[in-house]
Amino acid sequence: MDISYLFAQQMPVPSHAVLALAAILVGGLQFAFPKGTMIHKGLGYLWVGAMLYVAGSALFIHEIRLIGPFSPIHLLSFLVFASLWVAMRAVWKGNVSLHKKTMIALYIQALIITGGFTLIPGRVMHQVVFGG
């Protein structure tokens, strides 16, 4: 593992990756702790903040350029913003079922699946995890 390779990248790549990893860990803790508690709510707001940063910073990462500086992966940022809004609005209105379903889907799709794609050869995280 070569973590120095990550921090040698231009911003926002290092902070994007660190916050994405933090969101994976905090999200995992959310699955373990009881729901509706102050810990759940506090970690939840921390997770939402991390996800907002990860989605927002992704708009400034242009490793893959298919449409000008953008690629279809950038659409995921807008899906994350919309999903966070739906999930938070749902819980504020008492729709815990929709909140839970949306947050779990967001965790799996935006962090686990998308994160897996960062391990493709040629990508920064592949270099960090597997080296040259």
Side-chain angles (χ1 to χ4, degrees):
M1 182 169 290
D2 184 8
I3 197 78
S4 65
Y5 184 78
L6 174 62
F7 291 104
Q9 301 303 304
Q10 186 175 6
M11 287 302 267
V13 173
S15 59
H16 174 85
V18 168
L19 268 286
L21 289 171
I24 289 170
L25 294 174
V26 171
L29 288 174
Q30 286 293 66
F31 294 126
F33 284 112
K35 309 309 173 254
T37 65
M38 289 304 291
I39 291 174
H40 177 79
K41 291 175 185 178
L43 286 176
Y45 281 109
L46 183 66
W47 189 81
V48 167
M51 290 301 293
L52 287 170
Y53 182 84
V54 170
S57 64
L59 295 172
F60 298 95
I61 298 172
H62 306 290
E63 280 183 18
I64 302 169
R65 296 169 182 256
L66 296 177
I67 307 161
F70 300 105
S71 71
I73 193 77
H74 289 99
L75 295 174
L76 182 61
S77 290
F78 297 104
L79 178 63
V80 169
F81 296 143
S83 296
L84 287 171
W85 172 250
V86 166
M88 295 308 296
R89 189 164 180 254
V91 79
W92 292 330
K93 290 186 172 249
N95 189 344
V96 175
S97 176
L98 177 60
H99 171 77
K100 179 180 178 180
K101 184 171 33 171
T102 306
M103 288 301 206
I104 290 171
L106 192 54
Y107 182 84
I108 292 167
Q109 294 168 0
L111 290 173
I112 304 304
I113 294 172
T114 305
F117 284 114
T118 68
L119 298 175
I120 293 172
R123 307 284 313 273
V124 170
M125 290 310 291
H126 180 273
Q127 181 73 19
V128 169
V129 173
F130 301 110

